[in-house]
Amino acid sequence: SLTTIPSHFSIPNSVYSITGMFMSSGIKNLPSNFTIPEGVEYLDTLFYECTGLTQLPANFKLPNTTKSMDQMFYGCTNLNNVTFLATELGDDNNWGFWMRGVSSTGTFIKAKEMETSILQEAGVIPNGWTIKDQEKEDSSVFWNKLYS
């Protein structure tokens, strides 16, 4: 079973859907350089039930072309550290399910510019998680705008 994605792994720019790519795979670690390229639109169930996954790399980025990420981390029961630096949320998304079934406690790091209440109302942050602002000044390391 695949537990670590090799650091040389890359998703081709021509791919528009990576739905279920690592679903139930046993992934525990993502390399620090793991990225999803612009052009990818569908990330549904990407890490569905990857119960060994505990955190995302600090530079993990969703492309601005993302249209759907329903159940992206569903059932990742040990995921307890997420950096989410969007400064806007789009209208058509499934935030309530993107992290359903993750660890009951964890740390959610957000962009300083993003209102906590907006994230909570949209269901972006799992209940029971500690919310912190990113300490770096430049939030473009992750992504500045989701669903432009």
Side-chain angles (χ1 to χ4, degrees):
S1 160
L2 181 67
T3 59
T4 302
I5 298 171
S7 60
H8 63 276
F9 174 83
S10 66
I11 298 167
N13 291 340
S14 59
V15 172
Y16 73 92
S17 176
I18 55 175
T19 296
M21 179 179 275
F22 302 111
M23 177 186 253
S24 303
S25 65
I27 291 289
K28 293 181 181 177
N29 299 301
L30 297 175
S32 60
N33 65 343
F34 181 81
T35 59
I36 299 171
E38 290 298 325
V40 174
E41 298 176 4
Y42 301 96
L43 296 91
D44 305 304
T45 65
L46 179 61
F47 296 104
Y48 185 95
E49 293 188 351
C50 288
T51 58
L53 188 62
T54 59
Q55 65 182 3
L56 303 179
N59 68 338
F60 182 77
K61 179 182 183 300
L62 294 178
N64 290 326
T65 52
T66 300
K67 290 185 178 176
S68 180
M69 49 195 246
D70 190 30
Q71 299 182 24
M72 185 172 175
F73 297 104
Y74 187 97
C76 294
T77 55
N78 291 302
L79 183 62
N80 61 20
N81 192 313
V82 172
T83 299
F84 182 92
L85 301 179
T87 56
E88 289 185 31
L89 297 180
D91 295 327
D92 53 341
N93 52 55
N94 295 306
W95 293 112
F97 294 103
W98 88 299
M99 289 182 60
R100 181 162 291 178
V102 297
S103 177
S104 60
T105 59
T107 302
F108 191 94
I109 300 169
K110 67 172 195 63
K112 287 181 182 181
E113 303 83 12
M114 178 59 85
E115 298 271 338
T116 298
S117 60
I118 291 171
L119 294 171
Q120 289 172 322
E121 289 170 16
V124 174
I125 303 171
N127 290 331
W129 280 39
T130 301
I131 304 162
K132 295 181 179 181
D133 286 339
Q134 181 197 32
E135 293 183 21
K136 294 181 183 178
E137 291 293 320
D138 181 14
S139 66
S140 67
V141 173
F142 195 64
W143 82 90
N144 285 329
K145 187 173 179 184
L146 184 61
Y147 302 120
S148 55

